[in-house]
């Protein structure tokens, strides 16, 4: 472990050295034409973010176990290679000297006299360098989420002493989340209690179509709210459940909505039992500024309007980030499907904003234990791994079950046709579900499996049908890489060579760190690297 830690620290030192050298060199272009100056600012901007995170990582690297040390060592080694490649490019354009102020002004004069061809070559080279660094940072940024899973208390002390965490959303969130997950006695004083006893300020409540969530208004400020109701069974000990809901709400108060794909929580309140429903809880979320007219992904899929490739990739990337956040928060969601993915319009009427993951009716702390109770609704089983289908599921819930659900959703939005339709919708009711006529019987031919007595075999056949659909349709619609990513999600619990995510035994860790690493490398990073 000591050798691995030393390797990480050595790679950190190299990255810092070459990153600062890069910034020093690109400043040589400072008086160049506008396009080059813009690229310089982008390089400087992304390096400032990287530098803060890399330095913070250096303060805690020795406290991490070898699994994370190995991962960060590989990731930083990749950055080191990119930094060297950029420096080689720049040296080929301006020379390898360390320029003085006079030399910079002289170089600026030379640049102004460059031919159009040389200027174009320089701009294209720097543009590619900037994009490579920005992609690396987008992938590295959520890698910080993994630190929230490490139980070492010394990490909290190091981050508190470091003082640079405020410069990075990811690092700041790790610190805030680690604080939020401490026992209540160790919590810093919260600005407001999480349990809402007076909810007279919640007004104008109405249903969101194709969802169990509600939209409302804070009558004190006029700000929009989203209300999400849990569905604990009637036999649940609500005192114990309230502790879990409180812990979830506490972590969700720390998040950055656009960055993490979840809405920020304001608190929760208990819902008394009625003749038709058992008592439960309702989580209250803030709607991001400028967002309005919430619609579920199901509603968008059922609409006549198509979505651009860019929008579909954006949705997939954002959903993967949200799932990664859920997992590294120590939760599993258990209910990922188009009805629990919320999209808003912005002030310009666009619906290309980030998706937000809702449906916390089965959202729980991964360490709080699970049960095998489920339901037999086929329209929900379609998004569940075969191990978790039926009224009595055969396997305890693990993080890979959420990854499977993500894969089904990514398949559906890649094809951009709803797998199901709902008829006779009325607010507050669960309408009957049917297969989408737009798909036709040949695209999703699973009707014959729904009536099978052997539900386990039926579930496996449906899963195989989804994998085949991804293999046949997605390469032409979304590209080969996207298809491979979806298949990796759908096969993440398979045994043998058919598993494109990881060998099942490789990721059976108690804290979820190895699953998180594989998810970043096999799913999230590959999605971020896709370019149209």
């Amino acid at each position: 472990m000591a050798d691995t830690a030393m390797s990480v620290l050595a790679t950190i030192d190299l990255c810092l050295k070459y990153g600062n050298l890069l910034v020093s060199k690109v400043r040589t272009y400072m008086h160049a034409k506008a396009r080059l100056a813009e690229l310089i600012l982008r390089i400087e901007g992304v390096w400032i973010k990287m530098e803060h995170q890399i330095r913070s990582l250096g303060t805690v690297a020795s406290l991490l176990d070898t699994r994370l040390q190995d991962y960060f060592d590989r990731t930083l080694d990749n950055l080191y290679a990119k930094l060297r490649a950029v420096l080689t490019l720049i040296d080929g354009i301006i020379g390898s000297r360390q320029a003085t102020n006079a030399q910079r002004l002289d170089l600026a004069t030379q640049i102004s006299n460059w031919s159009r061809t040389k200027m174009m070559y320089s701009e294209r080279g720097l543009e590619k360098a900037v994009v490579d660094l920005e992609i690396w940072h987008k992938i590295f940024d959520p890698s910080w989420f993994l630190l929230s899973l490490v139980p070492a208390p010394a990490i909290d002390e190091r981050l508190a002493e470091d003082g640079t965490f405020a410069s990075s959303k990811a690092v700041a969130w790790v610190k805030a989340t680690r604080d939020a997950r401490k026992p209540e006695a160790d919590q810093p004083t919260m600005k407001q209690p999480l349990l809402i006893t007076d909810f007279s300020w919640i007004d104008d409540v109405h249903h969101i179509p194709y969802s169990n969530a509600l939209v409302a208004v804070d009558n004190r400020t006029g700000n929009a709210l989203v209300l999400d109701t849990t569905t604990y069974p009637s036999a649940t000990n609500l005192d114990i459940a309230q502790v879990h809901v409180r812990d979830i709400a506490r972590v969700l108060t720390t998040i950055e909505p656009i960055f993490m794909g979840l809405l920020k929580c304001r608190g929760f309140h208990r819902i008394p039992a009625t003749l038709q429903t058992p008592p439960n809880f309702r989580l209250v979320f803030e709607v991001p500024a400028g967002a309005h007219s919430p619609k579920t992904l199901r509603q968008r899929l059922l609409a006549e309007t198509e979505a651009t490739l860019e929008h579909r990739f954006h949705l997939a990337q954002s959903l993967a980030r949200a799932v990664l956040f859920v997992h590294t928060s120590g939760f599993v969601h258990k209910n990922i499907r188009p009805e629990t993915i919320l999209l808003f319009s912005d002030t310009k009427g666009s619906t290309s904003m980030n998706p937000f993951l809702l449906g916390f009716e089965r959202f729980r702390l991964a360490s709080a234990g699970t049960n095998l109770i489920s339901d037999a609704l086929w329209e929900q089983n379609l998004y569940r791994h075969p191990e978790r289908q039926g009224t009595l599921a055969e396997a305890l819930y693990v993080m890979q079950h959420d990854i499977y659900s993500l894969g089904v959703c990514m398949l559906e939005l890649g094809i951009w046709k709803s797998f199901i339709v709902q008829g006779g919708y009325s607010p507050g009711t669960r309408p009957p579900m049917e297969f989408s006529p737009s798909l036709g019987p040949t695209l999703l031919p699973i009707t014959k499996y729904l009536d099978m007595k052997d539900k386990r075999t039926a579930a496996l056949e449906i899963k195989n049908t989804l994998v085949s659909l991804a293999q046949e349709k997605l390469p032409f619609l979304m590209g080969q890489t996207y298809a491979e990513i979806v298949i990796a999600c759908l096969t993440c619990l398979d045994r043998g060579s058919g598993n494109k995510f990881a060998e099942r035994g490789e990721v059976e860790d108690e804290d979820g760190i190895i699953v998180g690493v594989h998810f970043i490398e096999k799913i999230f990073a590959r999605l971020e690297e896709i370019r149209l």
Side-chain angles (χ1 to χ4, degrees), residues 361-429:
E361 55 192 79
R362 288 183 170 84
F363 197 72
R364 68 161 179 82
L365 279 167
S367 60
T370 187
N371 58 56
L372 300 176
I373 304 300
S374 188
D375 58 60
L377 297 172
W378 74 263
E379 66 271 18
Q380 296 191 24
N381 279 335
L382 184 63
Y383 299 91
R384 295 175 182 145
H385 190 272
E387 294 179 345
R388 288 296 303 180
Q389 293 189 22
T391 55
L392 190 61
E394 69 177 60
L396 298 176
Y397 208 95
V398 293
M399 293 178 178
Q400 292 94 312
H401 291 134
D402 278 346
I403 296 172
Y404 178 88
S405 300
L406 172 68
V408 183
C409 291
M410 286 177 56
L411 171 60
E412 198 165 4
L413 67 86
I415 297 172
W416 202 252
K417 291 184 184 296
S418 178
F419 285 166
I420 59 176
V421 293
Q422 295 175 299
Y425 176 79
S426 59
T429 66

Side-chain angles (χ1 to χ4, degrees), residues 28 40 131 298 347 509:
T28 306
I40 293 164
V131 170
R298 174 69 65 214
T347 52
D509 57 338

Side-chain angles (χ1 to χ4, degrees), residues 144-145 147-149 155-157 159-160 165-166 168-183 186-190 194 247-256 260 264 325 328-329 331:
W144 263 92
F145 295 176
L147 269 67
S148 65
L149 295 172
I155 290 180
D156 302 310
E157 298 170 8
L159 288 176
F165 62 84
S168 164
K169 289 180 180 179
V171 181
W173 174 81
V174 167
K175 184 179 185 304
T177 300
R178 291 180 66 87
D179 287 342
R181 290 173 62 184
K182 292 176 182 177
D186 298 331
Q187 290 291 320
T189 302
M190 299 198 68
L194 287 172
D247 290 343
I248 290 166
R250 182 185 292 144
V251 172
L252 292 175
T253 62
T254 68
I255 59 101
E256 291 277 347
M260 296 173 178
K264 191 166 188 174
F325 167 78
T328 53
S329 298
F331 303 134

Side-chain angles (χ1 to χ4, degrees), residues 265-280:
C265 187
R266 292 272 292 271
F268 69 95
H269 65 88
R270 292 181 71 152
I271 303 173
T274 67
L275 292 175
Q276 292 79 27
T277 60
N280 254 291

Side-chain angles (χ1 to χ4, degrees), residues 30 148 196 281 317 333 427 531:
M30 195 59 72
S148 65
I196 300 170
F281 301 92
Q317 290 164 345
H333 190 281
R531 286 294 175 269

